[in-house]
């Protein structure tokens, strides 16, 4: 989806429809998989992040991660969604309140040798690590730091992953 296509989809009212479908069918794996992916893609546009949060998308994405903890594809797509939705400061409180940090840490812990999950979970933590001190403290207290270091060690040739990990480490040090 390019920027214009994402904008036209959102203006047609898709965000509340996707969120309503996620709420109505919480255990439908395929629906949740595609819904997380669509929300992630829509959140590439910064102006879509707050509307996704306002519609209730954050707790539903986190709920997907809890409902399907061993589903690699769902974890990847849900982490990706959190990573992009979480790039706006308007979403940080909701991310903290609804358990995004423990969900991201659990994904790192559950899939240590799966690059796409490590990548997307670190993207999520990197986005949230720009947040306020309370969010940074939550990231630390959930045990993210050793897992971030493990991701770097496990995938030494993945530059973008190292970028996200470095952002996390730097932001949590400040």
């Amino acid at each position: 989806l390019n920027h214009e296509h994402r904008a036209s989809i959102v203006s047609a009212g898709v965000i509340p429809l996707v969120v309503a479908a996620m709420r109505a069918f919480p255990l439908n794996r395929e629906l949740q998989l595609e819904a997380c992916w669509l929300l992630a893609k829509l959140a590439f546009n910064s102006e879509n992040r707050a509307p996704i949060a306002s519609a209730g998308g954050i707790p539903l994405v986190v709920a997907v991660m809890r409902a399907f903890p061993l589903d690699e594809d769902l974890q990847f797509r849900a982490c990706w969604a959190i990573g992009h939705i979480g790039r706006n400061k308007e979403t940080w409180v909701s991310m903290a309140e609804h358990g995004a940090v423990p969900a991201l840490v659990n994904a790192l812990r559950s899939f240590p040798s799966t690059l796409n999950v490590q990548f997307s979970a670190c993207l999520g933590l990197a986005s949230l690590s720009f947040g306020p001190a309370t969010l940074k403290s939550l990231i630390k207290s959930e045990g993210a730091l050793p897992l971030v270091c493990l991701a770097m060690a496990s995938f030494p040739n993945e530059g973008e992953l190292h970028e996200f990990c470095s952002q996390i480490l730097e932001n949590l040090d400040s």
Side-chain angles (χ1 to χ4, degrees):
L1 299 174
N2 63 32
H3 183 84
E4 294 78 28
H5 191 213
R6 286 189 292 269
S8 68
I9 291 171
V10 169
S11 67
V14 77
I15 291 173
L17 296 173
V18 169
V19 169
M22 291 177 79
R23 189 174 290 114
F25 304 100
L27 298 178
N28 182 320
R29 180 195 179 277
E30 291 303 315
L31 181 138
Q32 299 298 331
L33 186 76
E34 296 304 327
C36 284
W37 198 235
L38 180 58
L39 291 179
K41 288 181 177 184
L42 294 175
F44 276 39
N45 291 23
S46 59
E47 64 272 10
N48 296 338
R49 295 172 189 152
I52 291 169
S54 296
I58 293 169
L60 292 170
V61 171
V62 172
V64 166
M65 296 180 75
R66 289 186 187 131
F68 300 93
L70 301 177
D71 189 316
E72 180 182 316
D73 290 336
L74 266 169
Q75 293 296 311
F76 162 64
R77 291 183 186 201
C79 288
W80 196 254
I82 289 172
H84 288 289
I85 298 165
R87 289 183 170 185
N88 270 29
K89 63 182 179 181
E90 293 83 12
T91 67
W92 291 336
V93 170
S94 183
M95 290 286 183
E97 288 176 351
H98 295 290
V101 172
L104 291 166
V105 170
N106 187 56
L108 283 174
R109 191 174 288 119
S110 297
F111 298 95
S113 61
T114 305
L115 176 59
N116 63 352
V117 176
Q118 295 293 301
F119 184 89
S120 62
C122 287
L123 165 66
L125 289 171
S127 295
L128 300 180
S129 73
F130 285 95
T134 53
L135 195 51
K136 292 176 184 185
S137 178
L138 181 59
I139 293 169
K140 289 179 189 176
S141 69
E142 286 294 329
L145 295 180
L147 296 168
V148 167
C149 292
L150 179 61
M152 293 175 80
S154 297
F155 300 99
N157 299 319
E158 296 296 330
E160 273 190 290
L161 173 66
H162 283 251
E163 231 178 271
F164 295 142
C165 292
S166 296
Q167 285 176 350
I168 296 164
L169 297 172
E170 183 179 330
N171 289 341
L172 296 183
D173 191 38
S174 60

